[in-house]
Amino acid sequence: QVQLVESGGGLVQSGGSLRVSCVASGRTSSRYFVGWFRRAPGKEREFVAAINWDGGNTYYADSVKGRFTISRDHAKNTVYLQMNGLKPEDTAVYYCAAQNSGNVYSGRAYNYWGQGTQVTVSS
């Protein structure tokens, strides 16, 4: 089992920045991928970004490329999502998730999920 706890969400104005964190505990492994997903009201869950825990390879949705950066800190067992240039359409609950196989872009491939953290961007 892997436990994931997100934090760092909040309210920010359009154009602002926010960093959300995901702390992993339990049976973590260097083979894991950790991803960020989001769900806006009335919309489907969508992939945001992912990182390979061991190698640090990163993956981004087109909608956030150049604005968001995913990173990890081995010592703290934490994955970060730095969000710059935020837009009102980025408003959503952000979830981190972990998996050790499958398509990093698909939520169905992820076995473990956090409880989510709300990010609200005002115009």
Side-chain angles (χ1 to χ4, degrees):
Q1 287 287 337
V2 175
Q3 292 79 43
L4 302 169
V5 179
E6 303 97 332
S7 63
L11 173 64
V12 64
Q13 288 189 332
S14 181
S17 298
L18 206 59
R19 188 179 77 166
V20 290
S21 304
C22 174
V23 178
S25 61
R27 298 184 66 180
T28 57
S29 165
S30 62
R31 297 190 299 275
Y32 273 84
F33 288 85
V34 176
W36 285 96
F37 291 78
R38 66 187 181 187
R39 188 191 298 270
K43 294 189 176 180
E44 297 289 320
R45 180 180 62 197
E46 65 173 345
F47 170 80
V48 176
I51 189 165
N52 164 247
W53 185 260
D54 192 34
N57 296 324
T58 57
Y59 311 83
Y60 295 97
D62 288 343
S63 59
V64 306
K65 274 181 186 175
R67 300 190 297 124
F68 291 11
T69 302
I70 189 170
S71 62
R72 85 269 191 250
D73 184 328
H74 285 139
K76 296 182 179 180
N77 261 9
T78 300
V79 173
Y80 302 100
L81 184 67
Q82 176 67 43
M83 303 181 287
N84 299 327
L86 282 162
K87 306 174 182 180
E89 52 263 44
D90 294 317
T91 295
V93 177
Y94 283 70
Y95 300 90
C96 73
Q99 56 122 316
N100 60 2
S101 63
N103 183 347
V104 298
Y105 298 99
S106 172
R108 295 175 188 161
Y110 289 78
N111 310 103
Y112 306 102
W113 291 83
Q115 82 288 349
T117 185
Q118 176 71 46
V119 172
T120 303
V121 184
S122 63
S123 57

